[in-house]
Amino acid sequence: MILPHTGRALADAAPVPYWLDRPERPDPLPPLTGAHTADLLVIGGGYGGLWAALLAKQADPDTDVLLVDAGTCGWAASGRNGGFCSASLTHGLANGVARFPGEVAELERLGRENLAAIAATVDAYGIDCDFERTGELAVAVRPYQLDGLAEDAELARSHGHDVRLLDRDEVRAEVDSPTYLGGMWDRDRVAMLDPAKLAWGLRRACLDLGVRIHEHTRVTGLRGDAAAVAASTAGGVEQAPGVVRARRVVLTTNAFPPLLRRLRAWVVPVYDYALMTEPLTPAQRDAIGWRNRQGLADTGNQFHYYRITRDGRILFGGYDAVYHHGNRVAPALEQRPATFTALAEHFFTTFPQLADVRFSHRWGGVIDTCTRFCPFFGTAYDGRLAYAAGYTGLGVGATRFGARVMLDLLAGTDTPLTRLALVRGKPLPFPPEPVRAAGIHLTRWSLARADARDGRRNPWLRTLDRLGLGFDS
């Protein structure tokens, strides 16, 4: 049943990402034209590419680094996400234990160091991205989910995490929703931040260090020879095509159609959607509490993630994860009215005391999903190109680690990072179409059915679990 105020709440929501719809957005840099050379070419101006460019320059200021992006830096996933910056490199501890049991302790240590390094970079370069070490609060909204939270807390504590289990009254004292039955507060391994401001701040830091950046520059093809990799770029109505010859290349195009054919089997683009409210009034803030400003997520298979911004808005996203046949990616898919209506319904169910709140923005974006739900790595063109992909929605923090791995792979030396099973292995490939789309849609249906049946997984989901492919939305 659609609540009567849902339509009114969505009526004036701008169909653009809130984070990118602000005057702080920098003016675009000129596109690349003509012929260029570089020591390091970075393809993709999201977090992964920006971190790679910054780290390369920090390691050797004389390295000539050139970065190109088909849009502007941070316009895709890096400017559309919820701003949860996690220490996890494996899409959560449980996934890491299941897939990399022999090195999960090392991956946990590297993840902690990675989050600390992000905080240090934000401080060192004066990046004003509202970085807050508030942690994340996972909440149970159905009785069966309480046992799962207890198991998660036990696992987390066994690996040294600072977590606290909360009963119904305790969790509602943190954030007041009548749907909450309990919670687990991970207090030290998640920071909240403004995702677009982080991307823009990294972009500025790169420029200050001498990185050459060209925006609105789409790479259309790669060609290698004995000395370099050449990247061809598209022209336009008032733009000549270009080419860059580089000794080394970092490829970070993630969910978008890959320039390497081999990546097509390992990554599928899945659309995720979010709403942003108008700023809450003081009375509305008092009605929900949320004084500790944690990131929140419920614990269903089809879960919601939400957080409060510096200016008192609430971002509410997730639930639907939509795949389009043939790995289709298109601007028109960023708007999905049925999903926005569902999210608004779920928001008002979660916070009925905010029934008069309206939404200012609604948007979607594409996530690079792989079958192991955490990044994978590799090289091409005789080791002159390195890639990372498959972050599956948890890349705000992990992309910096991914950039370090790619630079180590390009150096061609044996390092502690390149020896990791996480780095050496690959996910299982997705099947070709039409089996790919059928399997993904069956999985989505099965996950929704499990949520409606107190978490009981049907034979299809149990089969995926046995194959190591069990996942949520």
Side-chain angles (χ1 to χ4, degrees), residues 276 364 417:
M276 184 72 85
L417 298 189

Side-chain angles (χ1 to χ4, degrees), residues 22-34:
R22 290 178 294 171
E24 302 96 319
R25 184 173 183 168
D27 293 331
L29 294 164
L32 181 142
T33 60

Side-chain angles (χ1 to χ4, degrees), residues 131-137 185-193 291-295:
F131 188 95
E132 299 179 277
R133 204 75 177 258
T134 58
E136 181 177 12
L137 183 59
W185 186 1
D186 184 338
R187 295 188 285 192
D188 68 340
R189 294 179 54 80
V190 178
M192 303 307 299
L193 53 78
R291 284 171 287 276
N292 287 312
R293 303 178 57 81
Q294 307 97 324

Side-chain angles (χ1 to χ4, degrees), residues 363-416:
W363 72 92
V366 65
I367 292 171
D368 58 327
T369 301
C370 72
T371 57
R372 74 182 195 185
F373 322 118
C374 61
F376 64 91
F377 309 89
T379 62
Y381 294 100
D382 296 324
R384 292 191 296 277
L385 180 148
Y387 59 81
Y391 291 95
T392 316
L394 210 65
V396 177
T399 45
R400 182 189 176 277
F401 170 81
R404 290 181 60 203
V405 170
M406 287 185 286
L407 294 176
D408 276 8
L409 290 172
L410 288 175
T413 56
D414 181 49
T415 73

Side-chain angles (χ1 to χ4, degrees), residues 14-233:
V16 292
Y18 164 76
W19 307 114
L20 301 175
D21 187 29
R22 290 178 294 171
E24 302 96 319
R25 184 173 183 168
D27 293 331
L29 294 164
L32 181 142
T33 60
H36 299 261
T37 60
D39 295 324
L40 176 67
L41 170 65
V42 178
I43 303 173
Y47 294 140
L50 291 166
W51 279 118
L54 182 67
L55 292 172
K57 270 294 192 181
Q58 288 176 333
D60 182 359
D62 293 330
T63 300
D64 179 22
V65 181
L66 190 154
L67 182 150
V68 297
D69 192 275
T72 56
C73 290
W75 71 276
S78 297
R80 297 165 188 259
N81 63 81
F84 289 64
C85 186
S86 173
S88 178
L89 305 176
T90 58
H91 208 276
L93 177 58
N95 193 52
V97 169
R99 299 183 187 283
F100 311 104
E103 64 185 29
V104 68
E106 175 68 1
L107 292 172
E108 287 287 293
R109 181 187 67 79
L110 290 168
R112 291 191 297 271
E113 291 178 354
N114 186 64
L115 183 58
I118 292 172
T121 301
V122 166
D123 182 62
Y125 290 96
I127 298 175
D128 180 17
C129 64
D130 303 339
F131 188 95
E132 299 179 277
R133 204 75 177 258
T134 58
E136 181 177 12
L137 183 59
V139 294
V141 296
R142 300 281 295 275
Y144 79 90
Q145 295 169 3
L146 292 169
D147 288 341
L149 282 182
E151 293 171 3
D152 290 344
E154 183 178 0
L155 178 64
R157 287 169 180 153
S158 73
H159 286 80
H161 295 197
D162 179 13
V163 300
R164 179 186 168 199
L165 272 179
L166 308 176
D167 64 21
R168 179 177 181 146
D169 291 340
E170 289 171 327
V171 73
R172 291 190 63 176
E174 290 294 329
V175 183
D176 191 10
S177 168
T179 66
Y180 295 169
L181 304 177
M184 184 187 77
W185 186 1
D186 184 338
R187 295 188 285 192
D188 68 340
R189 294 179 54 80
V190 178
M192 303 307 299
L193 53 78
D194 182 314
K197 285 185 178 180
L198 175 61
W200 298 337
L202 292 173
R203 174 186 184 267
R204 177 176 54 80
C206 286
L207 290 170
D208 289 346
L209 291 180
V211 176
R212 294 183 286 153
I213 297 178
H214 292 277
E215 297 176 317
H216 295 296
T217 300
R218 182 170 61 90
V219 175
T220 56
L222 298 171
R223 186 180 68 256
D225 58 33
V229 176
S232 301
T233 69

